Amino acid sequence: MQLSNTSQYAIRILAYIADQADSPLVNATQLSQRLHIPYKFLTKIMTTLVKKDLILSIRGKEGGYALKRDSSEIMVGDILDIFNDSIQDEQCVLGIGFCNGMCKCALHDQWMEPKHLLQKMFRESSLKDIAGRGCKI
Amino acid sequence: MQLSNTSQYAIRILAYIADQADSPLVNATQLSQRLHIPYKFLTKIMTTLVKKDLILSIRGKEGGYALKRDSSEIMVGDILDIFNDSIQDEQCVLGIGFCNGMCKCALHDQWMEPKHLLQKMFRESSLKDIAGRGCKI
DNA sequence: TTCAATTACTATCTTAAGGTAGTATTAATA
DNA sequence: TATTAATACTACCTTAAGATAGTAATTGAA
């Protein structure tokens, strides 16, 4: 049970850029090297983040990437949403079609509390909150 | 972020069998139909569970499957272990190589509590605890 | 002893995630 | 304007999960 590679990469990328708030633009080569993410895969993710309006990109010489909004306004949950990796309210831990009060799965009750904590963690952690915390390898 | 299909199936299968403690054996056709799991995929999972000693199988006419141990002694975590889907102590939510006190990821602190709750949920829920709870579709 | 019902085994197909390659486009600067 | 350094686009390759197909082995019972 874990986040997809792509989601993990995206969070680390965005946190890294948030961390470099002083330097205006960060480029793909630097991100790839510092975060150990394959260059071509990274640029694919970046293009997605640009289309989803989390990232601003400048093409051409001296170009690069920057956050499009303030780091306090980009939540980890927003990132997971893009890659369909966030936890939905109705999400059943055992994957049965319709898991609620009427017809709930065997683990429904046990799942509620960790699910809410995870959702809270993703919803309430902004890039500003998590940037600058330890290493980003 | 969710369990693999295979893990979800395995938990539902085992909980269903635990639930039928009165009837001696349950067969693959019944499991497949009641739980809506593709027959051939289900039998593949069953064979794995037999090899891992969670399930006892009887071949031939009148054959089928039964739990090999008491339902109170099979934990959800044991099932996830088999399919490499359990949450390890050192597991980093952002997938960086080595995430601990020395070199921790940006989400390390926020991840601790939900991680422990999930581990607890998986470690402490036995088939006996969860059998007979609602529908198993 | 034959038949039918069952699990086990082996091989293959399908799909999506993860990753790579090559080329086109953009823009600063010499 | 030519060069260079950057992102964007399109297409493809690789791998593992999920699923399927066919056959072999086992066993109870007619």
Side-chain angles (χ1 to χ4, degrees):
Chain A
M1 182 176 226
Q2 56 186 346
L3 295 177
S4 68
N5 257 3
T6 306
S7 295
Q8 293 178 344
Y9 286 161
I11 294 169
R12 288 171 51 222
I13 291 165
L14 287 159
Y16 183 90
I17 297 175
D19 217 13
Q20 314 290 311
D22 44 332
S23 54
L25 289 177
V26 184
N27 70 41
T29 303
Q30 181 185 351
L31 288 168
S32 167
Q33 289 174 352
R34 298 293 175 82
L35 301 177
H36 300 102
I37 300 172
Y39 178 84
K40 284 290 199 177
F41 193 46
L42 180 134
T43 58
K44 182 188 273 187
I45 294 171
M46 296 314 288
T47 302
T48 303
L49 295 174
V50 168
K51 286 193 177 135
K52 294 294 184 174
D53 238 37
L54 293 192
I55 286 278
L56 173 81
S57 74
I58 309 286
R59 283 157 77 136
K61 204 168 183 177
E62 310 283 294
Y65 301 103
L67 295 189
K68 190 146 183 188
R69 311 183 226 150
D70 190 87
S71 64
S72 64
E73 285 170 7
I74 298 179
M75 300 297 167
V76 171
D78 300 338
I79 306 167
L80 298 187
D81 281 341
I82 291 173
F83 302 102
N84 299 309
D85 225 357
S86 57
I87 296 178
Q88 306 306 124
D89 287 337
E90 340 76 53
Q91 186 168 320
C92 170
V93 69
L94 296 187
I96 73 174
F98 199 68
C99 183
N100 58 22
M102 293 305 232
C103 171
K104 62 190 191 182
C105 81
L107 273 172
H108 185 85
D109 297 338
Q110 289 91 332
W111 170 235
M112 293 296 271
E113 196 181 348
K115 177 173 78 172
H116 288 145
L117 256 186
L118 284 167
Q119 289 184 310
K120 182 178 161 73
M121 159 184 173
F122 295 141
R123 236 188 296 110
E124 297 182 3
S125 299
S126 74
L127 291 184
K128 183 172 186 182
D129 296 327
I130 71 172
R133 308 260 167 144
C135 64
K136 308 184 178 322
I137 298 170
Chain B
M1 183 178 227
Q2 56 185 344
L3 295 177
S4 68
N5 257 5
T6 305
S7 294
Q8 293 178 343
Y9 287 161
I11 295 168
R12 288 169 54 221
I13 290 164
L14 286 159
Y16 183 90
I17 297 176
D19 216 12
Q20 314 289 312
D22 44 332
S23 54
L25 290 177
V26 184
N27 70 42
T29 304
Q30 180 185 351
L31 288 168
S32 167
Q33 289 174 352
R34 298 292 176 79
L35 300 177
H36 299 102
I37 300 172
Y39 178 83
K40 284 289 199 176
F41 194 45
L42 180 134
T43 59
K44 182 186 273 188
I45 294 171
M46 295 315 287
T47 301
T48 302
L49 296 175
V50 168
K51 285 191 179 138
K52 294 294 184 175
D53 237 39
L54 292 190
I55 285 279
L56 173 81
S57 74
I58 309 286
R59 283 157 79 134
K61 204 166 181 178
E62 312 282 292
Y65 301 102
L67 296 188
K68 190 147 180 187
R69 312 184 225 148
D70 190 86
S71 65
S72 65
E73 287 170 5
I74 298 178
M75 300 297 167
V76 171
D78 300 338
I79 306 168
L80 298 186
D81 281 339
I82 291 173
F83 301 101
N84 299 309
D85 225 356
S86 57
I87 297 178
Q88 306 307 124
D89 286 337
E90 340 75 52
Q91 186 168 320
C92 171
V93 70
L94 296 187
I96 73 174
F98 201 67
C99 183
N100 59 22
M102 293 306 233
C103 171
K104 61 190 193 182
C105 81
L107 272 172
H108 185 86
D109 298 338
Q110 289 90 334
W111 169 234
M112 293 297 270
E113 196 181 347
K115 177 173 78 170
H116 287 147
L117 256 185
L118 284 167
Q119 289 184 310
K120 183 178 158 75
M121 158 183 172
F122 294 142
R123 237 187 296 110
E124 297 181 2
S125 298
S126 72
L127 292 183
K128 183 172 186 180
D129 296 328
I130 71 173
R133 309 260 166 142
C135 64
K136 307 182 179 319
I137 297 170

